[in-house]
Amino acid sequence: MSGDSVVFDIGLVGPSGVGKTSLISAVFLAGQDMLAGSGVTVVPDDEPTEALMADHAHALASVVKRGQFVADSVKANTSVVDFRLRLDPGLANGGIALHLKDYPGGWLDPQLRTDSAAARQGWESVHDFMLRSSVLLVPVDSPPVMEAVTPRQHRAVPLLLRLHDTLQVLRLWARGRAAAAESPALVLFVPVKCESYVRVASDDYRSRGRDRSDELYEQFRATYTDCIRAVRAEAPHATMLYLPVDTLGCVDRIYVRWPPDPDTGVR
């Protein structure tokens, strides 16, 4: 509790470049749209978060130019960033507070933490926050999951998604939730950058391609099966949900390129 608000800590488990900040922004904006007319809305819970939400919205708007999205124009975080949102029912000091921590996704890599004292110290604070969170958001980078075709590309996917490192966080989190079985325990697997695969009835299929949402789900299940099993084994009472999110809402895949990468083979 904080004042008269219920506080939910929400952990984010995602590698570098997956779009953790964009996901937080999507939660904020989509929440406002979905709750419109209900008397409840999502608002920034402090001035720094208000500024962060505005800056990110402006950055996304500025990089979608002339029908082309320039991904490298969205800068990655280099430190821990706190986001504080609130489900606001219009009552003074009321509602449900949501606290999320964004961070450089490279910190998931144990080798980076071994080589960098700053990364190790930053990860310790983020990791502790994750383990005490009642909710974990696991962004799933849809293009690598869907576009890997050759053996070399398939071999790169676990490293690109940091599957082993994600599994370790999920297992420790689930073990902690099992020790407090009366507390909430929710994992949200959230495919992002999935606009090219998940179609809705209003889409123009003739110009935008067929709906591949079932394929995305099956590929996700095959890729994250060890993560799902670990949570179920450690915390049988935990709830796991699959929730694709259009973090951009306006971008389609035109072609796929897998350039060489010294760490993963291809990227």
Side-chain angles (χ1 to χ4, degrees):
M1 300 288 291
S2 177
D4 294 327
S5 295
V6 176
V7 180
F8 280 98
D9 290 335
I10 302 175
L12 266 173
V13 190
S16 180
V18 73
K20 294 188 292 299
T21 306
S22 295
L23 177 56
I24 295 171
S25 181
V27 169
F28 171 61
L29 295 173
Q32 290 183 328
D33 288 342
M34 292 178 64
L35 293 169
S38 69
V40 178
T41 190
V42 183
V43 297
D45 209 20
D46 59 19
E47 291 183 353
T49 298
E50 184 177 19
L52 288 166
M53 292 288 91
D55 286 346
H56 191 68
H58 294 152
L60 284 180
S62 67
V63 299
V64 181
K65 296 178 178 178
R66 299 179 183 177
Q68 183 175 9
F69 174 67
V70 185
D72 292 342
S73 298
V74 180
K75 295 181 180 179
N77 283 326
T78 58
S79 61
V80 178
V81 179
D82 285 285
F83 287 86
R84 298 182 184 275
L85 304 173
R86 181 163 50 92
L87 292 172
D88 181 13
L91 303 174
N93 300 319
I96 299 175
L98 309 174
H99 181 199
L100 303 96
K101 285 183 181 289
D102 199 359
Y103 58 92
W107 290 358
L108 266 175
D109 182 358
Q111 186 60 54
L112 177 65
R113 302 197 299 270
T114 298
D115 297 338
S116 168
R120 183 168 60 255
Q121 293 171 1
W123 174 251
E124 287 174 356
S125 66
V126 171
H127 190 245
D128 288 345
F129 177 83
M130 288 180 187
L131 296 189
R132 69 172 184 266
S133 296
S134 52
V135 180
L136 281 187
L137 281 177
V138 184
V140 176
D141 204 352
S142 298
V145 171
M146 292 290 283
E147 304 297 342
V149 176
T150 70
R152 191 182 189 194
Q153 292 165 2
H154 281 292
R155 285 195 300 270
V157 169
L159 279 173
L160 290 172
L161 302 179
R162 305 304 311 184
L163 285 177
H164 173 77
D165 306 317
T166 299
L167 170 62
Q168 301 313 307
V169 173
L170 286 170
R171 186 179 293 281
L172 288 175
W173 173 86
R175 189 177 66 181
R177 292 291 98 189
E182 73 285 353
S183 299
L186 172 63
V187 181
L188 291 171
F189 292 101
V190 185
V192 295
K193 308 174 191 173
C194 58
E195 291 88 343
S196 291
Y197 314 115
V198 179
R199 304 302 193 194
V200 296
S202 59
D203 280 336
D204 183 351
Y205 288 87
R206 291 170 298 178
S207 62
R208 300 189 64 223
R210 64 184 177 87
D211 178 58
R212 299 174 65 191
S213 54
D214 288 345
E215 182 184 351
L216 176 61
Y217 176 70
E218 292 303 324
Q219 292 291 351
F220 153 76
R221 288 279 302 187
T223 303
Y224 281 81
T225 185
D226 289 342
C227 293
I228 295 169
R229 287 175 179 171
V231 173
R232 185 60 64 227
E234 298 285 357
H237 74 293
T239 298
M240 288 182 280
L241 299 178
Y242 170 85
L243 183 68
V245 170
D246 287 351
T247 46
L248 298 169
C250 57
V251 175
D252 273 319
R253 172 187 55 75
I254 303 301
Y255 63 90
V256 177
R257 185 170 59 94
W258 289 81
D261 183 87
D263 296 321
T264 60
V266 289
R267 182 177 297 276

